[in-house]
Amino acid sequence: MASLNVGNLGEYLREQRRTAQLSLRQLADAAGVSNPYLSQIERGLRKPSAEVLQQVAKALRISAETLYVRAGILDAERDRDEVETRAVILADPTLTEAQKLALLQIYESFRKENGIGSDGRGQGGVDGVDARAQESDADPQQPAG
């Protein structure tokens, strides 16, 4: 827990809450967490789970991935492109929540298909294309595309 920058997460959450003009109690209610627990997160005394961060992000209408990076759940450097892509999808005001979820699921399935799991690591290869995908290019059974 010492290696995680939980204090930075707390400061960021407090800043986002104040920007949204929400009291600690209002945010706790909207996120479905207790007021004391949220206070401890903001003060850097507790490390919330990914689920709690997702609830808080939804209540603040911000990217959960941004909170994951700040909490140390995602590696900022390795996962920056993925986080930015997900953030853009989540921030699009023209899409419904169901459409955003569908897009994120499709995005993740393509990443897995290309050998990049949800942990952001590929199976080797160049520019995110793994060796299996390169081998399948020579397979006549595979559709062109």
Side-chain angles (χ1 to χ4, degrees), residues 3-17:
S3 65
L4 298 175
N5 197 352
V6 181
N8 186 30
L9 169 66
E11 292 169 19
Y12 180 76
L13 279 177
R14 182 178 295 119
E15 177 183 313
Q16 293 302 309
R17 177 176 58 80

Side-chain angles (χ1 to χ4, degrees), residues 24-95:
L24 191 64
R25 186 174 308 279
Q26 289 171 322
L27 179 57
D29 288 344
V33 298
S34 74
N35 188 34
Y37 182 63
L38 185 58
S39 175
Q40 290 174 345
I41 294 169
E42 281 194 1
R43 290 181 288 142
L45 302 176
R46 292 277 186 146
K47 179 186 176 279
S49 67
E51 182 180 331
V52 168
L53 288 175
Q54 185 174 22
Q55 292 170 240
V56 171
K58 186 174 180 181
L60 288 170
R61 303 194 61 75
I62 61 174
S63 164
E65 284 77 10
T66 301
L67 297 183
Y68 296 162
V69 169
R70 292 197 178 258
I73 295 171
L74 288 178
D75 181 336
E77 293 300 315
R78 189 184 72 221
D79 299 323
R80 183 181 339 191
D81 291 341
E82 179 184 2
V83 169
E84 288 176 359
T85 300
R86 289 173 177 273
V88 168
I89 292 169
L90 291 169
D92 189 329
T94 64
L95 300 176

Side-chain angles (χ1 to χ4, degrees), residues 95-110:
L95 300 176
T96 67
E97 293 301 315
Q99 290 169 331
K100 291 175 185 180
L101 179 60
L103 272 175
L104 290 172
Q105 290 171 339
I106 292 167
Y107 174 66
E108 185 61 31
S109 73
F110 283 152

